[in-house]
Amino acid sequence: MNNLLQLLLIEDSADDTELILRELRKNGFAVAATRVDTVEELRRALPRGGWDVILSDYSLPAFDGLQALEILTESGLDIPFIIISGAIGEETAVRLMRAGAKDYVYKENLTRLAPVLRRELTEAAVRRERIAAETALSESRRQEEAARSKIEHIIRSVPDGLIVCDEEQRVVLINPGAESLLGLSSETAIQRQVAQVIREKSLLDQILQARIAIEDPVKTHLELSRRDGRSPLVIEARTSRMKDARGEPSGSVTVLRDVTYERELERLKSEFISTAAHELNTPLTSIIGYLELLLQHDLMQVTEPEQQREFLEIAHAKSRQLAAIVDELLDLGRMESGQGMTIHRDFHMLEPLFEDVMKRLRQQAPNHFFELSLPDDPTIRWYLDPLKISKVLENLLENSVKFSPAGSTIRLVADVDGENFHCSVADEGVGIAADKIGKVFDKFYRIDASNTAKGGLGLGLSIVKQIVEAHGGKIRLESTPGKETRIAFTLPRQA
């Protein structure tokens, strides 16, 4: 044999050891032997590993073959154990075989040793191969189960709805996203025909048609009513054919994506473009008209200085209105590009800032009453960007003017409480319905988008929120329809 036989020999006789080794070499074995004859030596030798076979005398001065077998069994090693001894009784031989000995050979008949050893080495190799195969199979199953569990976890975690059908149009998988969107339960849907599960006709038709689709996925949009009575959900459904490892059709997978928000955003953007064009055109038309009157003052009989000044003031006011619209559009561009809101903060006195804003609003809205309440200490300074906070106050006050009747009162209240500065603007206007309060800070959102609605791009409060949050503050809105609206924000002393 070409391989070196690693032999652990339990034997107290040097002469018997030489006889055994000579018999093995005579039969073609290349042997590397280690001899032990005590329990301690055996316990030290076993963990070294690499043993191909153990040959053991039955009777030794310090212990016997049965004890050696027990020590081997305790170690958990799978090593062929063969007894080589003098005459032993039949009862002893049975005990040894039951304890785990593979065979026994009499020392007077060592010619049996080589055939027995070859047989046991072959069987040991077969056992190792079988154990290795079983281990590999077990590991493969473990990995397969782990992969399946991971895939199931991913599928269950995907926010989009997933419906998988086999070639017989049975539902084989439905994830929580699909359950929620379609009001289904996987317990009642799995292994049922898809026609018995899906109630939406357009979706069912799409899944059924996927069987005859060549390559391109089938896509449609459908509306699903909500249980709470709100506007329906808009769902994009995309169905694709599945193929097995051989490229043969094996079913279909349908992905359901809630695009309600995207559709609403598209609608708002479309309205915004129309509104922006109108809002830009209105002051621009006035500016052009009054300037044309002034340029043709002789022809149009606009010769009085007071009248000319009036026309210039109107054109100037409309120019400021136009500039404010452009400013909002620039702010929107910065937000849409991900630049966020740039602020330049320092410590500034609050009273002059508030009084300046209030003065401008009183001039702009002479038909409204304004009340201003400030902290008792006029020297209070706060860490803020004065231009941006002025813009917040102007926007909130202008909104109050826009949505409250002439002759009503608008209150601007500011106060300092420890490390926080509190400010609120309250009016006596039309108020806001409860279901719309959560949207007022969204970009493009306008409470009334009809042709008779108040002017504006639907950006003001969104920009206000950006400025407040850029200061590390928070903003909230409270409203009672038909009575009042109050918007309050808080700024920390130094964010």
Side-chain angles (χ1 to χ4, degrees), residues 336-400:
E336 290 290 293
S337 64
Q339 295 179 28
M341 185 66 64
T342 302
I343 58 174
H344 304 283
R345 287 182 291 180
D346 202 347
F347 284 96
H348 294 272
M349 293 182 65
L350 295 175
E351 188 169 298
L353 187 152
F354 275 70
E355 288 181 343
D356 183 58
V357 172
M358 186 61 80
K359 180 181 178 181
R360 289 200 299 273
L361 262 294
R362 283 174 174 147
Q363 291 173 348
Q364 292 176 23
N367 294 325
H368 286 75
F369 296 101
F370 293 89
E371 292 181 1
L372 174 62
S373 174
L374 294 173
D376 294 334
D377 183 358
T379 64
I380 290 178
R381 300 164 67 88
W382 213 261
Y383 192 62
L384 48 77
D385 183 328
L387 295 178
K388 291 293 193 295
I389 295 302
S390 292
K391 186 170 187 174
V392 168
L393 297 175
E394 287 176 359
N395 208 311
L396 296 180
L397 289 168
E398 287 171 358
N399 262 5
S400 291

Side-chain angles (χ1 to χ4, degrees), residues 413-430:
V413 178
D415 193 15
V416 173
D417 177 14
E419 294 299 307
N420 291 301
F421 165 66
H422 305 282
C423 179
S424 67
V425 175
D427 61 45
E428 299 170 348
V430 296

Side-chain angles (χ1 to χ4, degrees), residues 133-145:
E134 289 174 352
T135 301
L137 179 61
S138 176
E139 177 63 16
S140 175
R141 286 174 176 169
R142 186 194 67 78
Q143 292 180 359
E144 181 182 347
E145 183 61 31

Side-chain angles (χ1 to χ4, degrees), residues 283-295 300 311 315:
L284 194 58
T285 300
S286 296
I287 293 169
I288 293 171
Y290 282 106
L291 289 178
E292 286 179 347
L293 288 174
L294 291 170
L295 288 171
M300 303 304 296
F311 286 179

Side-chain angles (χ1 to χ4, degrees), residues 116-137:
V116 168
L117 187 55
R118 286 194 177 93
R119 182 196 71 210
E120 291 305 320
L121 290 173
T122 300
E123 290 183 1
V126 170
R127 282 199 306 276
R128 284 194 296 271
E129 290 177 0
R130 185 179 70 249
I131 291 171
E134 289 174 352
T135 301
L137 179 61

Side-chain angles (χ1 to χ4, degrees), residues 17 47 79 81 98 110 152 177 182 201 284 311 314 344 368 393 411 426 433 473 476 480-481 493-494:
T17 298
I79 305 171
F81 189 98
R98 286 178 176 174
L110 286 178
E152 288 180 357
L182 301 176
K201 186 177 185 304
L284 194 58
F311 286 179
I314 293 172
H344 304 283
H368 286 75
L393 297 175
R411 296 173 179 83
R476 68 183 187 279
T480 303
R493 182 177 293 274
Q494 191 165 348

